[in-house]
Amino acid sequence: MIPFISQLPADEENIWIAALNQALPDENIIAVTELKPADKKHCLLAIVANPNTELLAEFENLTWLHSIWAGVENLMMSLADSPIDVVRLIDPTLSRAMSEAVLAWSLYLHRDMPRYAKQQHNKHWQQHQLVPASERRIGILGLGELGQVSARQLQQNGFKVMGWSRTAKKIPNIGTYSGNSGLAEMVAQSDILVCLLPLTPTTRGMVNKKLLAQLPQGSAVINFARGGIINTDELLNALNSKHLSHAVLDVFDHEPLSIDSGLWQHPDITILPHISAPTNLNSACDIVAKNIISFRATGQIPKSVSKVNGY
Ligand code: NAP
Protein backbone atom coordinates (compact mmCIF):
# COMPACT_ATOMS: atom_id res chain seq x y z
CA MET A 1 0.00 0.00 0.00
CA ILE A 2 1.40 3.45 -0.93
CA PRO A 3 -0.23 6.56 0.56
CA PHE A 4 -0.66 9.60 -1.68
CA ILE A 5 -0.18 12.69 0.48
CA SER A 6 -0.83 16.12 -0.96
CA GLN A 7 -2.61 19.41 -0.43
CA LEU A 8 -4.19 19.25 -3.87
CA PRO A 9 -7.94 19.74 -4.32
CA ALA A 10 -9.75 16.35 -4.00
CA ASP A 11 -10.64 16.09 -7.71
CA GLU A 12 -7.04 16.69 -8.76
CA GLU A 13 -5.78 14.24 -6.14
CA ASN A 14 -8.18 11.58 -7.49
CA ILE A 15 -6.85 12.07 -11.03
CA TRP A 16 -3.29 11.51 -9.77
CA ILE A 17 -4.24 8.43 -7.74
CA ALA A 18 -6.08 6.87 -10.70
CA ALA A 19 -3.18 7.56 -13.09
CA LEU A 20 -0.58 6.24 -10.63
CA ASN A 21 -2.58 3.05 -10.03
CA GLN A 22 -2.78 2.57 -13.79
CA ALA A 23 0.99 3.02 -14.12
CA LEU A 24 1.64 0.68 -11.16
CA PRO A 25 -0.90 -2.16 -11.50
CA ASP A 26 0.87 -4.27 -8.82
CA GLU A 27 0.59 -1.52 -6.18
CA ASN A 28 -2.31 0.00 -4.28
CA ILE A 29 -1.95 3.79 -4.18
CA ILE A 30 -4.49 5.28 -1.83
CA ALA A 31 -5.34 8.76 -0.48
CA VAL A 32 -3.80 9.19 2.96
CA THR A 33 -7.23 10.10 4.32
CA GLU A 34 -8.53 6.64 3.33
CA LEU A 35 -5.73 4.66 4.92
CA LYS A 36 -6.64 2.67 8.08
CA PRO A 37 -4.40 3.52 11.07
CA ALA A 38 -3.29 -0.15 11.32
CA ASP A 39 -2.03 -0.08 7.70
CA LYS A 40 0.29 2.86 8.27
CA LYS A 41 3.10 0.77 9.77
CA HIS A 42 3.31 -1.28 6.53
CA CYS A 43 4.11 1.78 4.39
CA LEU A 44 7.77 2.11 3.41
CA LEU A 45 7.23 4.93 0.94
CA ALA A 46 4.71 7.59 0.06
CA ILE A 47 4.00 9.56 -3.11
CA VAL A 48 3.70 13.24 -2.26
CA ALA A 49 2.93 16.70 -3.61
CA ASN A 50 3.93 19.37 -1.10
CA PRO A 51 2.48 17.31 1.79
CA ASN A 52 1.65 18.48 5.28
CA THR A 53 4.76 16.98 6.90
CA GLU A 54 3.02 16.51 10.26
CA LEU A 55 1.11 13.66 8.64
CA LEU A 56 4.38 11.85 7.93
CA ALA A 57 5.03 11.32 11.66
CA GLU A 58 2.11 8.82 11.70
CA PHE A 59 4.11 6.46 9.45
CA GLU A 60 6.71 4.82 11.70
CA ASN A 61 8.42 2.80 8.93
CA LEU A 62 8.47 5.36 6.13
CA THR A 63 11.95 5.46 4.57
CA TRP A 64 11.40 7.61 1.48
CA LEU A 65 9.04 9.91 -0.36
CA HIS A 66 8.62 10.30 -4.11
CA SER A 67 7.59 13.83 -4.96
CA ILE A 68 5.57 14.39 -8.12
CA TRP A 69 6.98 17.94 -8.22
CA ALA A 70 10.51 18.84 -9.33
CA GLY A 71 10.88 21.58 -6.68
CA VAL A 72 10.96 20.14 -3.15
CA GLU A 73 12.28 23.09 -1.14
CA ASN A 74 9.44 23.13 1.46
CA LEU A 75 9.86 19.41 2.02
CA MET A 76 13.64 19.68 2.38
CA MET A 77 13.30 22.48 4.94
CA SER A 78 10.75 20.49 7.00
CA LEU A 79 12.68 17.21 6.77
CA ALA A 80 16.22 18.58 7.20
CA ASP A 81 16.70 16.55 10.42
CA SER A 82 14.58 13.55 9.43
CA PRO A 83 16.01 10.21 8.23
CA ILE A 84 13.32 10.08 5.48
CA ASP A 85 14.84 10.41 2.02
CA VAL A 86 13.19 12.62 -0.60
CA VAL A 87 13.25 11.66 -4.28
CA ARG A 88 12.14 14.51 -6.53
CA LEU A 89 10.73 14.35 -10.04
CA ILE A 90 13.40 14.57 -12.71
CA ASP A 91 11.51 14.58 -15.96
CA PRO A 92 12.82 15.51 -19.44
CA THR A 93 9.26 16.58 -20.39
CA LEU A 94 9.27 19.14 -17.56
CA SER A 95 12.80 20.31 -18.44
CA ARG A 96 11.65 20.87 -22.04
CA ALA A 97 8.63 22.84 -20.80
CA MET A 98 10.94 25.02 -18.71
CA SER A 99 13.35 25.57 -21.58
CA GLU A 100 10.40 26.63 -23.77
CA ALA A 101 9.30 29.14 -21.09
CA VAL A 102 12.86 30.47 -20.76
CA LEU A 103 13.06 30.89 -24.54
CA ALA A 104 9.60 32.49 -24.78
CA TRP A 105 10.20 35.10 -22.09
CA SER A 106 13.78 35.74 -23.18
CA LEU A 107 12.43 36.50 -26.67
CA TYR A 108 9.75 38.73 -25.09
CA LEU A 109 12.50 40.80 -23.46
CA HIS A 110 14.96 40.50 -26.35
CA ARG A 111 12.41 41.83 -28.87
CA ASP A 112 11.42 44.72 -26.53
CA MET A 113 7.81 43.59 -26.21
CA PRO A 114 7.17 45.36 -22.86
CA ARG A 115 8.33 48.65 -24.44
CA TYR A 116 6.21 48.20 -27.61
CA ALA A 117 3.16 47.28 -25.47
CA LYS A 118 3.58 50.57 -23.56
CA GLN A 119 3.98 52.46 -26.87
CA GLN A 120 0.76 50.90 -28.22
CA HIS A 121 -1.06 51.88 -25.05
CA ASN A 122 0.10 55.49 -25.64
CA LYS A 123 -0.56 55.35 -29.44
CA HIS A 124 3.11 56.13 -29.88
CA TRP A 125 4.89 55.04 -33.10
CA GLN A 126 8.63 54.61 -32.58
CA GLN A 127 11.06 52.03 -33.90
CA HIS A 128 14.00 50.96 -31.76
CA GLN A 129 17.22 49.45 -33.00
CA LEU A 130 17.14 45.65 -33.23
CA VAL A 131 19.91 43.91 -31.29
CA PRO A 132 20.86 40.60 -33.00
CA ALA A 133 20.38 37.51 -30.78
CA SER A 134 24.09 36.79 -31.16
CA GLU A 135 24.80 40.05 -29.30
CA ARG A 136 22.21 39.43 -26.56
CA ARG A 137 23.92 37.94 -23.51
CA ILE A 138 21.79 35.73 -21.28
CA GLY A 139 23.10 34.52 -17.91
CA ILE A 140 21.44 31.59 -16.15
CA LEU A 141 21.74 31.15 -12.38
CA GLY A 142 21.71 27.36 -11.89
CA LEU A 143 22.92 24.78 -14.39
CA GLY A 144 21.00 21.76 -13.12
CA GLU A 145 18.29 19.71 -14.81
CA LEU A 146 16.37 22.81 -15.88
CA GLY A 147 19.23 25.28 -16.31
CA GLN A 148 21.24 23.10 -18.70
CA VAL A 149 18.31 22.30 -21.02
CA SER A 150 17.30 25.97 -21.02
CA ALA A 151 20.88 27.08 -21.76
CA ARG A 152 21.03 24.74 -24.75
CA GLN A 153 17.64 25.94 -26.02
CA LEU A 154 18.77 29.59 -25.88
CA GLN A 155 22.13 28.81 -27.47
CA GLN A 156 20.40 26.93 -30.33
CA ASN A 157 18.29 30.05 -30.90
CA GLY A 158 21.39 32.14 -31.44
CA PHE A 159 21.84 33.83 -28.06
CA LYS A 160 25.14 34.25 -26.26
CA VAL A 161 24.57 32.06 -23.21
CA MET A 162 26.35 31.80 -19.87
CA GLY A 163 25.52 29.79 -16.75
CA TRP A 164 26.54 29.75 -13.10
CA SER A 165 26.52 26.74 -10.78
CA ARG A 166 27.93 25.77 -7.37
CA THR A 167 30.41 23.27 -8.83
CA ALA A 168 32.42 24.11 -11.96
CA LYS A 169 31.09 22.72 -15.26
CA LYS A 170 32.11 22.54 -18.91
CA ILE A 171 29.27 22.71 -21.44
CA PRO A 172 29.95 23.13 -25.19
CA ASN A 173 29.19 26.67 -26.46
CA ILE A 174 28.01 27.90 -23.03
CA GLY A 175 30.21 30.18 -20.90
CA THR A 176 30.31 28.55 -17.47
CA TYR A 177 31.04 30.20 -14.11
CA SER A 178 31.09 29.10 -10.47
CA GLY A 179 31.96 30.56 -7.08
CA ASN A 180 31.56 34.17 -5.90
CA SER A 181 33.98 35.69 -8.41
CA GLY A 182 32.36 33.69 -11.22
CA LEU A 183 28.96 35.02 -10.18
CA ALA A 184 30.05 38.67 -10.36
CA GLU A 185 31.78 38.07 -13.69
CA MET A 186 28.71 36.47 -15.28
CA VAL A 187 26.18 38.91 -13.83
CA ALA A 188 28.17 41.91 -15.11
CA GLN A 189 27.74 40.57 -18.67
CA SER A 190 24.08 39.49 -18.48
CA ASP A 191 21.57 41.55 -20.46
CA ILE A 192 18.96 39.04 -19.28
CA LEU A 193 19.45 37.14 -16.01
CA VAL A 194 17.38 33.96 -15.63
CA CYS A 195 17.04 32.41 -12.18
CA LEU A 196 16.81 28.60 -12.10
CA LEU A 197 18.40 27.96 -8.70
CA PRO A 198 16.80 25.91 -5.93
CA LEU A 199 15.78 27.83 -2.80
CA THR A 200 18.21 26.81 -0.05
CA PRO A 201 19.63 28.66 2.99
CA THR A 202 22.50 29.73 0.68
CA THR A 203 20.39 31.00 -2.21
CA ARG A 204 17.65 32.71 -0.14
CA GLY A 205 17.73 36.44 -0.94
CA MET A 206 20.76 35.95 -3.19
CA VAL A 207 19.41 38.19 -5.95
CA ASN A 208 19.74 41.33 -3.85
CA LYS A 209 20.76 44.98 -4.16
CA LYS A 210 24.45 44.11 -4.57
CA LEU A 211 23.90 41.52 -7.29
CA LEU A 212 21.32 43.65 -9.14
CA ALA A 213 23.74 46.60 -9.13
CA GLN A 214 26.29 44.40 -10.93
CA LEU A 215 23.91 43.83 -13.87
CA PRO A 216 24.42 46.09 -16.90
CA GLN A 217 22.24 49.23 -17.08
CA GLY A 218 18.90 48.41 -18.73
CA SER A 219 19.11 44.64 -18.18
CA ALA A 220 16.17 42.43 -17.22
CA VAL A 221 15.52 39.58 -14.80
CA ILE A 222 13.43 36.41 -15.16
CA ASN A 223 12.63 34.38 -12.03
CA PHE A 224 11.28 30.89 -12.75
CA ALA A 225 12.73 29.24 -9.62
CA ARG A 226 11.38 30.33 -6.20
CA GLY A 227 10.25 33.76 -4.93
CA GLY A 228 12.53 33.66 -1.88
CA ILE A 229 15.68 33.81 -4.03
CA ILE A 230 14.96 37.44 -5.00
CA ASN A 231 14.79 40.30 -2.50
CA THR A 232 11.59 41.85 -3.86
CA ASP A 233 12.04 45.31 -2.28
CA GLU A 234 15.53 45.59 -3.72
CA LEU A 235 14.29 44.39 -7.12
CA LEU A 236 11.61 47.11 -7.02
CA ASN A 237 14.25 49.74 -6.20
CA ALA A 238 16.35 48.59 -9.16
CA LEU A 239 13.30 48.82 -11.47
CA ASN A 240 12.13 52.17 -10.09
CA SER A 241 15.59 53.71 -10.51
CA LYS A 242 15.54 52.39 -14.15
CA HIS A 243 18.74 50.44 -13.56
CA LEU A 244 16.69 47.39 -14.60
CA SER A 245 14.27 47.62 -17.51
CA HIS A 246 11.90 44.75 -16.68
CA ALA A 247 11.29 41.68 -14.52
CA VAL A 248 9.31 38.56 -15.42
CA LEU A 249 8.20 36.84 -12.21
CA ASP A 250 6.53 33.41 -12.16
CA VAL A 251 7.16 32.59 -8.49
CA PHE A 252 6.57 34.50 -5.25
CA ASP A 253 7.19 34.27 -1.51
CA HIS A 254 3.47 33.67 -0.98
CA GLU A 255 1.37 32.06 -3.70
CA PRO A 256 -1.11 32.96 -4.99
CA LEU A 257 0.25 36.50 -5.04
CA SER A 258 -1.95 38.66 -2.78
CA ILE A 259 -4.40 40.93 -4.61
CA ASP A 260 -2.97 43.74 -2.43
CA SER A 261 0.55 43.26 -3.81
CA GLY A 262 1.95 46.30 -5.59
CA LEU A 263 3.74 43.98 -8.02
CA TRP A 264 0.52 43.43 -10.03
CA GLN A 265 0.33 47.04 -11.19
CA HIS A 266 4.03 47.75 -11.67
CA PRO A 267 4.57 48.94 -15.27
CA ASP A 268 7.89 47.10 -15.57
CA ILE A 269 6.88 43.74 -14.10
CA THR A 270 5.22 40.82 -15.87
CA ILE A 271 3.42 38.51 -13.43
CA LEU A 272 2.86 34.84 -14.24
CA PRO A 273 0.94 32.45 -11.94
CA HIS A 274 3.68 29.80 -11.47
CA ILE A 275 3.18 28.27 -14.90
CA SER A 276 6.65 28.07 -16.43
CA ALA A 277 7.01 24.28 -16.06
CA PRO A 278 4.03 22.39 -14.66
CA THR A 279 4.33 18.66 -13.95
CA ASN A 280 2.98 16.54 -16.81
CA LEU A 281 0.67 13.83 -15.42
CA ASN A 282 1.57 11.08 -17.90
CA SER A 283 5.34 11.49 -17.98
CA ALA A 284 5.49 11.99 -14.19
CA CYS A 285 3.48 8.80 -13.54
CA ASP A 286 5.79 6.82 -15.86
CA ILE A 287 8.87 8.10 -14.01
CA VAL A 288 7.42 7.52 -10.52
CA ALA A 289 6.34 4.01 -11.59
CA LYS A 290 9.80 3.18 -12.95
CA ASN A 291 11.44 4.31 -9.71
CA ILE A 292 9.03 2.36 -7.49
CA ILE A 293 9.28 -0.83 -9.58
CA SER A 294 13.08 -0.59 -9.34
CA PHE A 295 12.88 -0.04 -5.55
CA ARG A 296 10.63 -3.10 -5.11
CA ALA A 297 13.05 -5.20 -7.18
CA THR A 298 16.34 -4.06 -5.63
CA GLY A 299 15.48 -2.44 -2.28
CA GLN A 300 17.56 0.56 -3.43
CA ILE A 301 16.03 4.00 -2.93
CA PRO A 302 16.40 6.05 -6.15
CA LYS A 303 18.83 8.99 -6.08
CA SER A 304 17.52 11.32 -3.39
CA VAL A 305 17.92 15.03 -2.71
CA SER A 306 21.04 15.95 -0.67
CA LYS A 307 20.17 16.90 2.92
CA VAL A 308 23.59 18.60 3.15
CA ASN A 309 23.14 20.89 0.13
CA GLY A 310 19.34 21.20 0.48
CA TYR A 311 18.78 20.45 -3.23
P1 NAP B 1 18.83 21.06 -9.87
O1 NAP B 1 18.94 20.05 -10.94
O2 NAP B 1 19.00 20.63 -8.44
O3 NAP B 1 19.89 22.21 -10.21
C1 NAP B 1 20.19 23.24 -9.34
C2 NAP B 1 21.32 24.07 -9.92
O4 NAP B 1 21.56 25.17 -9.06
C3 NAP B 1 22.64 23.29 -10.01
O5 NAP B 1 23.35 23.68 -11.16
C4 NAP B 1 23.37 23.74 -8.75
O6 NAP B 1 24.80 23.71 -8.85
C5 NAP B 1 22.93 25.17 -8.66
N1 NAP B 1 23.06 25.67 -7.29
C6 NAP B 1 22.44 25.27 -6.18
N2 NAP B 1 22.85 25.97 -5.11
C7 NAP B 1 23.77 26.82 -5.57
C8 NAP B 1 24.55 27.81 -4.95
N3 NAP B 1 24.51 28.05 -3.65
N4 NAP B 1 25.40 28.51 -5.72
C9 NAP B 1 25.47 28.27 -7.04
N5 NAP B 1 24.75 27.35 -7.70
C10 NAP B 1 23.90 26.63 -6.96
O7 NAP B 1 17.42 21.82 -9.93
P2 NAP B 1 16.46 21.96 -11.20
O8 NAP B 1 15.71 20.71 -11.43
O9 NAP B 1 17.23 22.56 -12.32
O10 NAP B 1 15.38 23.00 -10.62
C11 NAP B 1 15.75 24.29 -10.15
C12 NAP B 1 14.57 24.93 -9.43
O11 NAP B 1 13.54 25.29 -10.37
C13 NAP B 1 13.82 24.01 -8.47
O12 NAP B 1 14.48 23.90 -7.22
C14 NAP B 1 12.48 24.71 -8.33
O13 NAP B 1 12.55 25.66 -7.31
C15 NAP B 1 12.33 25.46 -9.65
N6 NAP B 1 11.19 24.98 -10.46
C16 NAP B 1 10.27 25.89 -10.85
C17 NAP B 1 9.18 25.48 -11.63
C18 NAP B 1 8.16 26.48 -12.12
O14 NAP B 1 7.16 26.07 -12.73
N7 NAP B 1 8.33 27.77 -11.88
C19 NAP B 1 9.08 24.14 -12.03
C20 NAP B 1 10.04 23.25 -11.60
C21 NAP B 1 11.10 23.67 -10.82
P3 NAP B 1 25.60 22.32 -9.08
O15 NAP B 1 25.27 21.91 -10.49
O16 NAP B 1 27.01 22.69 -8.91
O17 NAP B 1 25.09 21.37 -8.05
Side-chain angles (χ1 to χ4, degrees), residues 73 88 143-146 164 166-167 169 224 250 276 311:
E73 11 287 269
R88 72 187 185 104
L143 282 175
E145 298 294 333
L146 306 182
W164 181 71
R166 192 173 56 83
T167 55
K169 299 200 183 332
F224 285 166
D250 183 47
S276 49
Y311 73 97

Side-chain angles (χ1 to χ4, degrees), residues 130-163:
L130 178 63
V131 176
S134 58
E135 288 173 25
R136 187 73 74 184
R137 304 162 302 173
I138 306 184
I140 303 181
L141 298 173
L143 282 175
E145 298 294 333
L146 306 182
Q148 288 203 27
V149 179
S150 300
R152 220 169 298 128
Q153 173 78 275
L154 290 170
Q155 190 267 329
Q156 285 165 358
N157 278 274
F159 291 102
K160 186 173 185 306
V161 186
M162 303 161 285

Side-chain angles (χ1 to χ4, degrees), residues 44 111 195 231 298:
L44 294 180
R111 293 305 299 252
C195 181
N231 181 318
T298 65

Side-chain angles (χ1 to χ4, degrees), residues 173-190:
N173 302 316
I174 310 287
T176 52
Y177 300 82
S178 61
N180 285 341
S181 58
L183 177 64
E185 200 181 336
M186 184 186 87
V187 168
Q189 307 173 64
S190 298

Side-chain angles (χ1 to χ4, degrees), residues 69-73 88-91 94-95 98 101 141-149 164-169 177-180 183 195-204 206 223-227 229 250-251 255 273-279 303 305 309-311:
W69 302 159
V72 288
E73 11 287 269
R88 72 187 185 104
L89 184 72
I90 297 181
D91 181 352
L94 188 141
S95 302
M98 181 57 90
L141 298 173
L143 282 175
E145 298 294 333
L146 306 182
Q148 288 203 27
V149 179
W164 181 71
S165 52
R166 192 173 56 83
T167 55
K169 299 200 183 332
Y177 300 82
S178 61
N180 285 341
L183 177 64
C195 181
L196 285 175
L197 288 167
L199 178 63
T200 67
T202 318
T203 63
R204 183 176 289 282
M206 210 190 86
N223 188 10
F224 285 166
R226 287 291 179 264
I229 298 169
D250 183 47
V251 285
E255 295 180 7
H274 202 139
I275 45 76
S276 49
T279 296
K303 185 175 176 288
V305 181
N309 297 328
Y311 73 97

